[in-house]
Amino acid sequence: MLHRARRTSLTAAALVAAVAGAAAATATAAAQAAAAGCSVTYTVGSQWSGGFGANVTVTNLGDALSGWTVRWSFTAGQTVTQAWNATATQSGTTVTAVNAAWNGGLATNGAVSFGFNGSWNNASNPAPASFTLNGVACTGTAAPTTGPTTGPTTGPTTSPTTAPTTSPTTAPTTQPTSAPQTPPNGTVRVYWLKPTDVAFDQRYVDGIAGVMRESQRYYQQELGKTFKLNNPVVEVVNGDHPRSWYENTPNGNECYWWVVFNMQQELMRKLGLRAPDSRWINVGEISAEASCSGGGGGGGWVILSGHDADGAAGIGGNMNRWYGGMVHELGHAFGLPDSSSTDGTPMSASFYSYPNTHFSQAQKNNILNGPYGSFLS
């Protein structure tokens, strides 16, 4: 049984708000067309004591854009703690989200989604009343505007400046040509599936490997034993389809699973994997994510969508959040269920407090005596 990623909230809520507002249009950066209109859907997908997770989907109703900046203000003291598929900053109540290096292009009537985790006061968590796209109010309609004649010399397509310290200054863009040999049984195999329209980026290979090594260290700390990784740790798999295919091709009862199920089935077909697979624990990450996408773990598998891959690569906030998330999902792969409350263990929302979270003795026993306990040494 697969468990949803991060569905460990104490009070899960689905709050969908189609937001319209009124604001004066301001000039956008040079090298961008004028944004003449937009609409926004803001969704709180999960909520727990002191925290929540939300997604923002922006549809551009104006001219095509080569970079985007979305702004909104919170009204009840909420703060953004980490984001994926965008670089988010907050000043007072105002949040600014700027495109990632790979999703700055936004066609007319095209949509882009990003997500974030935030904190709230446990009393009120209202949706923002209005949003802007490149300074233009998102009212749900398009209006003629005059494009700017001057603008800053640096457009928002510049990569985020807060890259991980372990990443190379210039990420290689050429994928290694040598294919890894089939790893030995009883190990954890890790894959980054790269859609056809996603460029190879060494940060993802190195970052996902780093998350796995930290998880390996944590399991050793907690259990006195840990799992084996392979060399190379991450197998890069060239996908058969563009990113949009994985995001929009139905697979499963709800769109939460489409991206990761499409990835998992392609990995199984290409690499001869099974689900469950007694030979390996399999961890798959893909650089694709729709606004409804998620992931999870169970039955010897971890399957994760784009924001986890971005987080591992250093695009998406504090690395402890991604370390804790992988420890949590590997727990599912080893056979553990979610905890029923925030109990200080990584099988609850306490994984957000990583590394200050620890398996209970019962959880340790269940891992060691479970179907993949023999993988630990």
Side-chain angles (χ1 to χ4, degrees):
M1 175 181 177
L2 281 170
H3 298 262
R4 290 172 182 255
R6 289 163 294 283
R7 290 297 290 266
T8 49
S9 56
L10 298 180
T11 55
L15 173 63
V16 180
V19 186
T26 60
T28 64
Q32 294 181 11
C38 48
S39 64
V40 171
T41 299
Y42 177 91
T43 307
V44 173
S46 59
Q47 186 166 283
W48 57 93
S49 179
F52 68 100
N55 281 286
V56 180
T57 299
V58 182
T59 301
N60 175 31
L61 303 177
D63 296 335
L65 302 173
S66 60
W68 50 265
T69 298
V70 177
R71 288 190 175 91
W72 70 89
S73 293
F74 285 124
T75 59
Q78 303 102 313
T79 59
V80 173
T81 57
Q82 56 216 355
W84 48 91
N85 295 343
T87 299
T89 57
Q90 185 165 350
S91 177
T93 62
T94 301
V95 179
T96 301
V98 178
N99 60 272
W102 51 265
N103 65 355
L106 190 54
T108 300
N109 295 321
V112 66
S113 297
F114 59 92
F116 66 89
N117 288 324
S119 63
W120 66 301
N121 59 16
N122 293 324
S124 177
N125 188 15
S130 61
F131 291 79
T132 65
L133 171 63
N134 288 0
V136 175
C138 292
T139 63
T141 59
T145 64
T146 301
T149 57
T150 61
T153 58
T154 302
T157 53
T158 303
S159 299
T161 57
T162 56
T165 56
T166 57
S167 296
T169 304
T170 302
T173 57
T174 302
Q175 182 176 333
T177 56
S178 57
Q181 296 180 346
T182 301
N185 290 2
T187 59
V188 175
R189 293 183 70 175
V190 186
Y191 320 98
W192 175 43
L193 192 146
K194 185 179 70 61
T196 55
D197 56 350
V198 172
F200 177 78
D201 189 331
Q202 188 68 38
R203 290 181 301 171
Y204 286 82
V205 178
D206 294 342
I208 294 170
V211 169
M212 295 306 302
R213 291 191 182 100
E214 172 61 19
S215 300
Q216 184 184 47
R217 183 207 64 78
Y218 178 88
Y219 273 73
Q220 178 69 46
Q221 166 193 295
E222 295 290 301
L223 302 173
K225 297 181 177 182
T226 195
F227 51 85
K228 301 179 188 70
L229 295 168
N230 296 293
N231 185 20
V233 174
V234 178
E235 302 173 47
V236 180
V237 179
N238 291 318
D240 292 338
H241 308 282
R243 185 166 49 217
S244 60
W245 183 91
Y246 298 96
E247 296 167 347
N248 299 317
T249 301
N251 193 340
N253 293 330
E254 50 184 317
C255 65
Y256 182 94
W257 296 110
W258 291 359
V259 167
V260 291
F261 279 178
N262 285 328
M263 170 191 65
Q264 183 187 36
Q265 290 176 10
E266 185 170 330
L267 290 173
M268 291 171 66
R269 175 177 55 82
K270 285 187 167 184
L271 301 175
L273 307 176
R274 300 189 286 266
D277 197 320
S278 62
R279 298 166 296 175
W280 306 291
I281 288 176
N282 295 291
V283 177
E285 301 201 27
I286 180 173
S287 289
E289 179 164 342
S291 60
C292 57
S293 298
W301 275 85
V302 174
I303 47 178
L304 300 172
S305 54
H307 72 270
D308 285 274
D310 288 344
I315 307 169
N318 190 317
M319 289 302 298
N320 282 339
R321 181 257 180 274
W322 310 110
Y323 296 151
M326 183 58 72
V327 165
H328 175 91
E329 299 306 340
L330 283 169
H332 287 319
F334 276 105
L336 295 182
D338 280 319
S339 297
S340 59
S341 63
T342 304
D343 58 5
T345 76
M347 301 316 296
S348 73
S350 297
F351 80 78
Y352 285 106
S353 300
Y354 188 91
N356 300 316
T357 180
H358 302 282
F359 286 125
S360 68
Q361 188 58 52
Q363 289 171 338
K364 294 177 184 179
N365 292 341
N366 288 338
I367 292 174
L368 292 170
N369 298 320
Y372 293 93
S374 63
F375 282 40
L376 302 167
S377 61

